[in-house]
Amino acid sequence: MDYLGALLAISGVLILSVVSPGPNFAIVTSTATLRSRGAGVATGLGLAAASATWALLAVAGLG
């Protein structure tokens, strides 16, 4: 039962961190509202590419 409590606590923290907006959300939202929808999409794709690059570096043991 102790493991279940720890698992629920960790899951709750993970869900809160995923749901809460971060700086990337602010950048994409401000770009989309101040410039255009296309610029917002391009910003989002650029941020996704950067995240994928960091993930690949981490998997390779370089990050």
Side-chain angles (χ1 to χ4, degrees):
M1 193 68 156
D2 188 45
Y3 293 116
L4 181 61
L7 181 63
L8 288 174
I10 292 171
S11 297
V13 170
L14 178 65
I15 289 171
L16 286 176
S17 68
V18 169
V19 173
S20 65
N24 289 344
F25 176 78
I27 290 170
V28 172
T29 303
S30 67
T31 302
T33 56
L34 296 176
R35 302 207 182 234
S36 68
R37 179 180 175 185
V41 170
T43 302
L45 290 174
L47 290 169
S51 295
T53 302
W54 279 111
L56 288 173
L57 288 171
V59 167
L62 301 174

